[in-house]
Amino acid sequence: MPGVLTVRDEGVARRYVFEQQAVVGRDLDCDIPLASRSVSRRHALVEKTPNGWVVRDLGSANGTSVDGARVREAPLVTGAAVRFGEVDAVFEIESRETTSAERLISSLSIAPVRKARPVAVFLVTTVGVILLAAATIWARYCDRAPAKASAASRAPTLIGS
C-alpha cells in the first residue's frame, strides 16, 4: 500500500503519494521538494521495507524527528508526526489499493513549478534576445535600403526644345 506524506511548507499543505520511496529535501530533484532553508538539499528518505515504512535521515544539518524525538532511522506508522528541519509533516499509509489507472495518472504527473521555472526563464530570455537581435538587424537593413523612385520622378524629362 502506498505511503502518503502531508507536508506543511510555507503555509501550504501538500499531499505526496508514493509507492516505494521518496527523497525529501530542498533540491529540486527530490521527490518531495521543500523550500525551507532549515531543510538540507537531500534531507531524508522515506521508504517501504519488508518490515514496514521507515524514515532515514541522510545526514541533514537540522535533523529529522518522529513524534518529537530526533532520529537517524525510525519506523513510521499511520499518523506519525514527522519533522524535517522546521517543516512539519504527517505520514499515513493509504488504506485502499490504488488502481492501475491511478498509478498511470500519478506516473504522468507534471513536474512542480519550481523544477520548471529555471528552464522557462532560460527559454523566454533566449527567445527575447533572438527577437531583439532580429528587430535590430531588420531596422538596420531598412535604413540602408535605397528609396524607391516614385512614378512622377521616373517620367522622361525634356531638355531644351
Side-chain angles (χ1 to χ4, degrees), residues 75-159:
L76 293 174
V77 295
T78 295
V82 185
R83 189 171 174 101
F84 306 102
E86 296 175 2
V87 177
D88 292 320
V90 176
F91 177 79
E92 300 171 68
I93 299 172
E94 197 163 276
S95 59
R96 66 177 183 85
E97 198 63 38
T98 55
T99 65
S100 60
E102 289 172 324
R103 282 192 296 273
L104 175 64
I105 289 171
S106 68
S107 70
L108 298 174
S109 65
I110 298 172
V113 174
R114 284 186 268 175
K115 287 184 179 179
R117 189 178 302 149
V119 174
V121 168
F122 173 76
L123 289 176
V124 168
T125 304
T126 303
V127 168
V129 168
I130 290 171
L131 289 174
L132 183 60
T136 303
I137 291 169
W138 178 261
R140 286 185 181 174
Y141 171 77
C142 289
D143 287 344
R144 291 185 185 166
K148 293 184 180 179
S150 64
S153 66
R154 281 189 268 140
T157 312
L158 293 175
I159 303 179

Side-chain angles (χ1 to χ4, degrees), residues 10-87:
E10 296 184 327
V12 178
R14 291 187 180 89
R15 185 173 189 264
Y16 297 93
V17 180
F18 41 94
E19 293 291 328
Q20 292 297 318
Q21 69 177 18
V23 176
V24 179
R26 209 173 67 244
D27 193 336
L28 297 177
D29 291 331
C30 288
D31 301 307
I32 301 176
L34 303 176
S36 174
R37 299 291 292 165
S38 68
V39 176
S40 297
R41 292 187 187 278
R42 292 180 50 84
H43 195 98
L45 173 69
V46 178
E47 78 175 328
K48 188 177 191 177
T49 67
N51 298 327
W53 287 93
V54 296
V55 61
R56 286 190 186 96
D57 189 88
L58 299 176
S60 66
N62 292 318
T64 302
S65 301
V66 176
D67 294 329
R70 191 164 175 165
V71 297
R72 285 190 171 191
E73 181 175 324
L76 293 174
V77 295
T78 295
V82 185
R83 189 171 174 101
F84 306 102
E86 296 175 2
V87 177

